[in-house]
Amino acid sequence: MQAEICVNPAVSLIGAQQNELLRALSREELISLFEHLELVPLAAGKHLFDFGEKMDYAYFPTNAIVSLQFVTEDGGASEIAVVGREGVVGVSMYETERANCSAVVQSAGYGYRIKGAVLRTAFFGGGALAQQLMRHTSALFAQLAQTVAGVRHGSIEQRLCRWLLERLDRSQSNELKVTQEMIANMLGVRRESITCCAGKLQEEGLIEYRRGTVVVLDRGAMEQRAGGCYVAA
């Protein structure tokens, strides 16, 4: 008689595969993680970890979006990267590793979390998981480089378009729950600058802005406006 596999009832192949990194694993490799995965709600504004903290868990978002932020000594924060259903946040490759940024949930949803020690063991075991984690790390470095280049060479309008497109890539609709104040804080610019750029994009039919909500109406035009500041995720 074949032994039964005891798994967390909240975890299933279909559910876990909503995260693209987990979906890239073989069925057998994913099932081997089931007893260690926990489906958790990720509320907007929740800090998964902050700079300097030990990262006890790694998170694989499904429909949530997480902002990775660099926090200055005076408490200001600038976004350096964003992660959604394509990836993972909180990976630590050695036991004493500390976070080099803060991870804040920007769009509420769900994700699967796993203890960092378990993920490390699985990583050093090789296989598709190790390959996917390294690939994701490489993609994060590329996103960080693009962010730095955008700050140095991009206009505020280009950076705004890129910021919205990055969230659109990780959203299930063309409607984004964001405020101009949030965008300004993450881009490190004055709110009035965002108001001006958003108003211009709305007048030209690229977006529709209502209080706390941005609807992207013309993605192609937004990509053209972003120019070299944006590369699709």
Side-chain angles (χ1 to χ4, degrees), residues 51 67-73 75-81 100-102:
F51 175 81
S67 172
L68 301 182
Q69 303 173 7
F70 177 79
V71 181
T72 60
E73 292 182 356
S78 293
E79 184 174 270
I80 57 176
N100 56 16
C101 65
S102 296

Side-chain angles (χ1 to χ4, degrees), residues 49 55 59 68 84 88 104 113 124 185 191 199 204 223 229:
F49 53 81
M55 295 174 287
Y59 295 81
L68 301 182
V88 58
V104 184
R113 74 176 186 178
F124 290 115
N185 288 339
R191 179 177 176 178
E204 297 177 7
E223 290 183 5
C229 282

Side-chain angles (χ1 to χ4, degrees), residues 65 107 164 167-168 170-178 208 210-217:
I65 299 176
S107 295
L164 293 173
R167 275 138 191 85
L168 199 64
R170 297 163 174 86
S171 178
Q172 296 177 329
S173 74
N174 66 336
E175 184 174 294
L176 306 172
K177 298 295 184 181
V178 296
E208 179 182 339
R210 302 186 296 271
R211 186 172 181 82
T213 302
V214 174
V215 180
V216 178
L217 303 175

Side-chain angles (χ1 to χ4, degrees), residues 26-72:
S26 68
R27 178 186 177 90
E28 292 73 21
E29 193 167 8
L30 181 53
I31 289 177
S32 72
L33 296 176
F34 272 16
E35 65 179 297
H36 305 291
L37 291 173
E38 179 186 3
L39 180 64
V40 293
L42 300 176
K46 177 180 176 64
H47 286 234
L48 303 183
F49 53 81
D50 285 310
F51 175 81
E53 290 184 350
K54 185 177 180 181
M55 295 174 287
D56 293 321
Y57 290 92
Y59 295 81
F60 296 88
T62 55
N63 60 343
I65 299 176
V66 180
S67 172
L68 301 182
Q69 303 173 7
F70 177 79
V71 181
T72 60

Side-chain angles (χ1 to χ4, degrees), residues 2-8 31-32 34-35:
Q2 187 177 5
E4 293 184 359
I5 300 175
C6 182
V7 300
N8 186 329
I31 289 177
S32 72
F34 272 16
E35 65 179 297

Side-chain angles (χ1 to χ4, degrees), residues 19 21-22 25 29-30 32-33 36-37 55-60 87-95 97 112-126 128-134 136-137:
N19 177 276
L21 194 155
L22 293 178
L25 305 182
E29 193 167 8
L30 181 53
S32 72
L33 296 176
H36 305 291
L37 291 173
M55 295 174 287
D56 293 321
Y57 290 92
Y59 295 81
F60 296 88
V88 58
V89 297
V91 177
S92 56
M93 288 294 98
Y94 52 93
E95 188 175 356
E97 185 174 352
Y112 288 88
R113 74 176 186 178
I114 187 170
K115 288 184 177 179
V118 173
L119 191 60
R120 280 195 299 274
T121 299
F123 174 84
F124 290 115
L129 178 60
Q131 294 174 9
Q132 290 301 318
L133 289 176
M134 289 188 291
H136 180 62
T137 299

